[in-house]
C-alpha cells in the first residue's frame, strides 16, 4: 500500500517536494475533503474526494506535481476551465474534460490551493 511519504519520495526536485507538501497541507485543511494515497500499477497518486466523489488528484513526478481538477468538481460549476486558465495560463484541459497543471514550486501550489479554497463549497 502506498503512503503519502512514498508519494513524496517519488519527487526528485526540492521545489516539487515543497509544492507537494503545500498541496497536502492545503487540501487537508479544507472541510469536507478526504485524501487517499492510491496505487495503480506504475502510476501512484493522491486522490482527493468530496464525499463519494473523486474531485481532485495529485500525481508526483521527478520535477513537478501534476495537479488535476476532475469532472465531478467541474460539474459543480464553481471552478470553470476558463477561470482556471485565466489564473494559470499553463493549465490544460484534457481530452477527458479535466484540468491539469504541472506545479514546480510551493508558491504556485499555494495559489492553486487558494483558488480551490475560494470556490464556494457545495
Amino acid at each position: 500500500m502506498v503512503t503519502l511519504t512514498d508519494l513524496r519520495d517519488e519527487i526528485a526536485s526540492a521545489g516539487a517536494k515543497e509544492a507537494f507538501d503545500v498541496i497536502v497541507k492545503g487540501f487537508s485543511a479544507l472541510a469536507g475533503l478526504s485524501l487517499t494515497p492510491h496505487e495503480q500499477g506504475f502510476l501512484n497518486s493522491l486522490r482527493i474526494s468530496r464525499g463519494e466523489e473523486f474531485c481532485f488528484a495529485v500525481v508526483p513526478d521527478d520535477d513537478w506535481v501534476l495537479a488535476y481538477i476532475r469532472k465531478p468538481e467541474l460539474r459543480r460549476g464553481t471552478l470553470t476551465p476558463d477561470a482556471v486558465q485565466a489564473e494559470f495560463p499553463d493549465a490544460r484541459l484534457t481530452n477527458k474534460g479535466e484540468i491539469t497543471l504541472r506545479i514546480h514550486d510551493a508558491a504556485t501550489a499555494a495559489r492553486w490551493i487558494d483558488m480551490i479554497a475560494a470556490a464556494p463549497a457545495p
Side-chain angles (χ1 to χ4, degrees):
M1 176 178 274
V2 68
T3 66
L4 282 174
T5 301
D6 295 331
L7 294 174
R8 190 177 191 278
D9 288 346
E10 292 182 24
I11 302 167
S13 87
K17 281 184 187 285
E18 291 171 0
F20 182 82
D21 294 343
V22 167
I23 291 169
V24 168
K25 183 177 179 183
F27 275 121
S28 295
L30 295 176
L33 297 179
S34 61
L35 286 66
T36 308
H38 182 74
E39 183 175 19
Q40 184 172 347
F42 69 91
L43 184 65
N44 295 327
S45 64
L46 178 62
R47 291 183 169 191
I48 298 100
S49 299
R50 187 182 304 280
E52 296 297 315
E53 292 188 311
F54 173 24
C55 295
F56 304 97
V58 177
V59 178
D61 194 79
D62 284 346
D63 297 317
W64 64 78
V65 175
L66 185 61
Y68 284 80
I69 301 174
R70 299 192 67 252
K71 286 173 94 173
E73 188 67 18
L74 294 172
R75 280 194 292 266
R76 290 181 50 230
T78 57
L79 291 169
T80 66
D82 289 342
V84 173
Q85 289 175 318
E87 184 72 25
F88 297 93
D90 292 336
R92 299 288 172 250
L93 187 62
T94 70
N95 59 359
K96 291 183 177 180
E98 300 174 340
I99 299 169
T100 63
L101 178 68
R102 289 181 180 177
I103 300 177
H104 298 268
D105 59 74
T108 304
R111 286 180 44 234
W112 181 257
I113 291 294
D114 288 347
M115 175 192 67
I116 291 166

